[in-house]
Amino acid sequence: MIELEGLPELVDPVLIAAFEGWNDAGEASSGALAHLETEWKATPLVELDPEDYYDFQVTRPMVELGDGLTRSIVWPTTRLLVARPPGSERDVVLLRGIEPNMRWRTFCSEIVGICLELGVETAVLLGALLNDSPHTRPVPIVGTVSDPGLARSLNLEMTRYEGPTGIVGVLGHSLGAAGTKTVSLWASVPHYVAQPPNPKATLALLRRMEDLLDIPMPLGELPDEARAWEHGVDELAAQDSEVAEYVRELEERKDAADLPEASGDAIAAEFERYLRRRDHDTDG
């Protein structure tokens, strides 16, 4: 267990976590964490020892070249950072790592212990999965929560998935069992355009977190990047008649499945985001 010493006292901290690997289609979730680390200028808190959790023949360390061609080794690991978002009265702990190769229960126990010591009472875990959702429609976000009452209060669509899980599922279960209010948000990435990055899915995760946490999420260039990404996929699909027809079928299926009130909910949510951002800009 890592001993935490000399850490600042955090104010009502919330954890946001994502992992590269099986849980991270299109690198949408890890991309969201990397974006927040940069935009919020997060500072390091603690780093887990990679020797305990990674098989370096499976998840290999990387060689980086610095000034004067000096070489350094970057080991795969999981890091926790902290940030105080502008306009927020609470701290955010950012956890970004790589899905471990072994000792998952010990790994999760160590993270839970760190979160408890930091005073984290709420956690949002991000993931992304491949799905048959069309790239031209809003990115579906589904989730799991630590208790049904929390799901109702958050108006969160619950997944009925059963089957293999990744470290996001295991860590979410461990945090919930320790008494932490836990939400897992999963973005659906079109399986026919799975290569990273996917800024549209990253943007959808950030906007859904903004709704849940009532913390303005810095979007930066992501809206423009998401539009450019969708336009690029449109052009690629137009070059293949079979792909174009398949996308049209997915669109028809998606449109038929959506309830009429869904568009009204989306408009209301977007208006609430606008009001939050306007108030934030006015206060700043």
Side-chain angles (χ1 to χ4, degrees):
M1 177 64 188
I2 293 177
E3 296 295 332
L4 302 180
E5 298 179 356
L7 293 177
E9 183 175 348
L10 304 183
V11 178
D12 190 21
V14 58
L15 174 73
I16 302 175
F19 295 87
E20 299 175 20
W22 189 85
N23 316 264
D24 192 27
E27 297 181 359
S29 59
S30 63
L33 261 290
H35 177 80
L36 292 178
E37 286 179 18
T38 300
E39 292 292 325
W40 284 340
K41 298 180 173 60
T43 57
L45 278 177
V46 66
E47 178 178 305
L48 274 63
D49 187 346
E51 291 280 350
D52 294 335
Y53 305 114
Y54 296 97
D55 179 346
F56 298 137
Q57 290 183 323
V58 176
T59 307
R60 291 186 176 272
M62 302 293 291
V63 175
E64 289 189 353
L65 295 179
D67 296 337
L69 297 182
T70 57
R71 300 165 67 87
S72 61
I73 302 294
V74 178
W75 297 92
T77 190
T78 294
R79 298 177 175 88
L80 289 89
L81 304 92
V82 67
R84 173 67 65 86
S88 175
E89 297 180 354
R90 69 190 310 187
D91 292 307
V92 177
V93 177
L94 301 175
L95 185 156
R96 182 158 66 107
I98 303 170
E99 185 175 67
N101 304 118
M102 52 197 176
R103 302 180 69 209
W104 282 22
R105 287 178 292 184
T106 304
F107 177 86
C108 291
S109 178
E110 185 165 3
I111 291 177
V112 169
I114 294 171
C115 289
L116 292 176
E117 191 164 347
L118 290 172
V120 171
E121 296 183 354
T122 303
V124 180
L125 280 61
L126 305 181
L129 51 86
L130 297 178
N131 206 338
D132 57 356
S133 56
H135 73 279
T136 54
R137 297 295 185 265
V139 177
I141 303 290
V142 297
T144 61
V145 295
S146 54
D147 66 78
L150 184 59
R152 288 191 295 270
S153 66
L154 297 176
N155 191 28
L156 181 66
E157 180 184 354
M158 294 295 295
T159 177
R160 296 182 178 274
Y161 171 79
E162 293 181 315
T165 189
I167 196 62
V168 169
V170 177
L171 179 58
H173 179 79
S174 299
L175 286 166
T180 304
K181 296 179 182 178
T182 306
V183 180
S184 296
L185 299 177
W186 290 81
S188 295
V189 172
H191 64 84
Y192 57 89
V193 56
Q195 65 271 23
N198 189 316
K200 186 173 181 178
T202 293
L203 181 63
L205 285 170
L206 291 175
R207 284 176 166 163
R208 192 66 177 95
M209 276 199 299
E210 186 174 75
D211 295 339
L212 293 179
L213 300 175
D214 197 24
I215 296 175
M217 294 288 162
L219 303 183
E221 301 298 322
L222 275 175
D224 291 337
E225 293 172 3
R227 284 189 290 269
W229 176 87
E230 184 172 337
H231 180 68
V233 179
D234 285 341
E235 292 184 336
L236 290 174
Q239 298 173 12
D240 189 316
S241 59
E242 291 185 0
V243 173
E245 178 60 28
Y246 178 63
V247 172
R248 282 192 293 270
E249 291 178 3
L250 293 180
E251 290 172 338
E252 293 173 358
R253 192 186 312 166
K254 174 66 176 174
D255 294 342
D258 284 345
L259 297 174
E261 61 267 23
S263 59
D265 292 342
I267 293 172
E270 188 62 37
F271 184 62
E272 290 176 359
R273 294 189 196 103
Y274 163 75
L275 292 178
R276 280 195 297 269
R277 292 183 180 282
R278 186 193 64 179
D279 294 342
H280 170 62
D281 293 340
T282 300
D283 294 340

